[in-house]
Amino acid sequence: MKRRPRNLSSNYDRPREDDYETPEKPVKPKGNSLFNYTSLAIIAGIFILGIGVGVAFSSSVSSSPNAIVSNVQIDQSAPNPEICIQNGASAIAMETRFFVTLNPFKVYVAQASTKPACVLRSANWAVLEQRKLITAEQSRECRQRMNTFGYTGVLESNPQIDCLYQSENSKNLFLTTPGAGAPPPGEEKF
């Protein structure tokens, strides 16, 4: 049996290798890349400069002694800051006096004064007991009322120590504002 000759015009024939032209490889132009090393260095420099300007601006804003901008300033101003932060939390003590007259009934308020203060966690009262700043009786009375201690003034030179009552968080409108978020766990009760 004889084979049929190939039909050259058939669509099913395989093309020969010399029918194809090899495509030329595209040449990449040097230096015209969108993200070459120079542009990346410029972008990184602008980013670092922006961070530096932001830090400088935030530190210069708090330079006024009449303005407290962050909790870091409160922490640094607390009496015995290292003891306070390890055993409690730095605070601002507001002192004011009220005067009440009975005939006629009137209430007068003196201007409030603020002082750096510290509020201790109830588990860390030993700091005050070791320095003999509170007695065992004062500690027992404060513990019975489920309160804690706070103080103003440096511990080494006659601080003013008070048994403090912690208010309920539900009445604190700063904590219930939308977007404020919940306080971190463990910080609700001192």
Side-chain angles (χ1 to χ4, degrees):
M1 187 154 145
K2 199 174 184 184
R3 283 189 161 186
R4 242 171 62 178
R6 283 182 155 187
N7 187 355
L8 294 177
S9 64
S10 171
N11 289 337
Y12 299 110
D13 286 4
R14 298 176 83 192
R16 293 181 294 176
E17 286 184 27
D18 53 336
D19 288 345
Y20 289 110
E21 292 182 20
T22 40
E24 294 182 22
K25 293 183 180 178
V27 178
K28 291 185 179 179
K30 294 184 178 179
N32 292 335
S33 175
L34 181 61
F35 289 110
N36 61 17
Y37 293 116
T38 306
S39 63
L40 286 176
I42 290 171
I43 291 172
I46 291 171
F47 180 72
I48 291 170
L49 180 67
I51 290 174
V53 168
V55 168
F57 178 72
S58 68
S59 64
S60 69
V61 169
S62 63
S63 64
S64 171
N66 296 332
I68 295 177
V69 178
S70 69
N71 61 341
V72 174
Q73 286 179 294
I74 296 172
D75 288 345
Q76 292 171 349
S77 299
N80 303 91
E82 58 284 338
I83 294 172
C84 182
I85 293 171
Q86 288 175 359
N87 299 299
S90 57
I92 300 171
M94 294 185 64
E95 296 178 350
T96 189
R97 292 174 34 162
F98 293 92
F99 297 88
V100 179
T101 61
L102 300 176
N103 195 10
F105 183 75
K106 298 264 185 195
V107 178
Y108 301 91
V109 180
Q111 182 148 357
S113 64
T114 58
K115 295 180 183 179
C118 182
V119 177
L120 295 175
R121 291 184 192 92
S122 57
N124 297 335
W125 293 351
V127 171
L128 300 176
E129 292 172 344
Q130 289 170 353
R131 295 171 183 247
K132 300 196 184 328
L133 297 171
I134 59 171
T135 63
E137 177 67 23
Q138 290 171 321
S139 177
R140 187 177 53 76
E141 284 178 11
C142 196
R143 197 176 299 270
Q144 283 178 345
R145 292 183 275 167
M146 301 296 283
N147 294 331
T148 190
F149 283 104
Y151 65 91
T152 58
V154 182
L155 291 177
E156 292 78 24
S157 62
N158 199 18
Q160 182 179 353
I161 301 171
D162 294 301
C163 183
L164 306 175
Y165 172 76
Q166 182 176 353
S167 69
E168 294 296 320
N169 287 340
S170 61
K171 300 199 190 264
N172 187 344
L173 298 180
F174 286 104
L175 296 178
T176 59
T177 55
E187 291 191 16
E188 296 89 19
K189 184 71 176 156
F190 260 72

